[in-house]
Amino acid sequence: MISVLIAEDMHLVRGAMAALLSVEHDIKVVEEVGHGDDVVPSCLRARPDVALLDIGLPGTDGLSAACELSRVLPSCKAVMLTGLATPAALRRA
């Protein structure tokens, strides 16, 4: 079973991703957050295998959250999500 945390500030998008992932028999959404400051504490609590992180989160952005997450919980892999694929953001990711 793959455990997943979803970090997306748009409630409707976050809910849709959670619903779609939850129908997969080998994926379990263990946490959902809408603010970047909640990513690392929620990951430390829930210990997901994967964190789906929106780059444009309010507070701590998704890229900064991914950097901190790799430092404090290296077993959790980050997958970056964005609708704003600027060259600078892609290089940083």
Side-chain angles (χ1 to χ4, degrees):
M1 179 71 65
I2 300 168
S3 59
V4 176
L5 172 133
I6 300 172
E8 165 60 56
D9 60 317
M10 295 178 65
H11 180 71
L12 186 61
V13 173
R14 186 174 66 242
M17 284 192 292
L20 287 170
L21 290 172
S22 294
V23 300
E24 297 296 325
H25 71 279
D26 57 348
I27 297 176
K28 181 178 183 181
V29 176
V30 294
E31 193 84 26
E32 297 177 41
V33 299
H35 199 278
D37 296 343
D38 298 330
V39 170
V40 172
S42 294
C43 283
L44 288 172
R45 183 177 48 256
R47 302 283 176 167
D49 299 310
V50 177
L52 299 177
L53 307 173
D54 178 21
I55 287 178
L57 289 169
T60 303
D61 66 74
L63 293 171
S64 298
C67 288
E68 179 66 11
L69 188 57
S70 71
R71 188 182 70 74
V72 300
L73 190 63
S75 62
C76 180
K77 304 304 177 199
V79 175
M80 304 310 300
L81 306 170
T82 186
L84 306 171
T86 65
L90 292 175
R91 275 192 301 277
R92 190 168 167 221

